[in-house]
């Protein structure tokens, strides 16, 4: 068990670039990640897992093939496993992601947007 206290605001301040998730903590087999979001990501899905977004600041749109989900500060949305989605923002968003360890940010599509999970 870890005795380390992590501060979400300080962790987000340590992230220089958007779309680079950093591990804030691990709970059982899940990573709690902090990320800065700006612009449009890539369409992808996670065939094996759900993905939880918790917006801290800004406004995030989770584009789904059949609708857009709008999130503001303190809003939570779970993208069900296997559902194709594309996060997008018109300005900077800070968020937490909850995913099983080893979940790749670009899911099943890979490519140039794929980022190794970074440690704080």
């Amino acid at each position: 068990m870890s005795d380390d206290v992590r501060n979400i605001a300080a962790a987000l301040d340590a992230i220089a670039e958007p779309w680079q998730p950093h591990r804030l903590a691990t709970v059982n087999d899940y990573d709690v990640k902090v990320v800065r979001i700006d612009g449009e990501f890539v369409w992808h899905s996670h065939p094996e897992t759900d993905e939880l977004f918790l917006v801290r600041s800004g406004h995030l749109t989770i584009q789904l093939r059949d609708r857009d989900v709008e999130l503001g500060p303190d809003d939570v949305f779970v993208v069900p496993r296997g559902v194709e989605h594309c996060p997008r923002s018109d300005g900077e968003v800070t968020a937490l992601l909850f995913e099983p360890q080893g979940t790749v940010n670009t899911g099943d599509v890979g490519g140039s947007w794929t980022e190794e999970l970074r440690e704080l």
Side-chain angles (χ1 to χ4, degrees):
M1 189 159 115
S2 174
D3 293 340
D4 295 337
V5 174
R6 295 290 177 113
N7 181 277
I8 295 169
L12 287 164
D13 286 345
I15 300 173
E17 297 294 324
W19 305 113
Q20 295 178 344
H22 287 64
R23 184 185 348 254
L24 179 69
T26 300
V27 179
N28 297 319
D29 297 332
Y30 277 75
D31 285 329
V32 179
K33 303 172 185 177
V34 290
V35 65
R36 291 186 175 283
I37 296 169
D38 195 0
E40 187 166 349
F41 199 53
V42 61
W43 282 94
H44 66 286
S45 69
H46 302 279
E48 304 299 323
T49 186
D50 299 339
E51 182 177 26
L52 184 145
F53 288 82
L54 186 159
V55 172
R56 295 272 300 164
S57 68
H59 289 85
L60 178 65
T61 302
I62 305 290
Q63 300 172 104
L64 306 174
R65 290 300 184 184
D66 63 345
R67 66 186 169 116
D68 288 348
V69 177
E70 303 292 336
L71 303 172
D74 299 323
D75 287 341
V76 172
F77 180 71
V78 176
V79 177
R81 73 182 62 203
V83 172
E84 196 173 20
H85 61 286
C86 180
R88 176 180 55 79
S89 72
D90 293 330
E92 185 174 85
V93 170
T94 60
L96 279 79
L97 306 175
F98 295 78
E99 304 170 316
Q101 288 179 328
T103 300
V104 176
N105 67 324
T106 53
D108 60 351
V109 299
S112 63
W113 285 93
T114 302
E115 289 282 341
E116 291 290 322
L117 179 60
R118 298 163 192 245
E119 299 293 336
L120 290 167

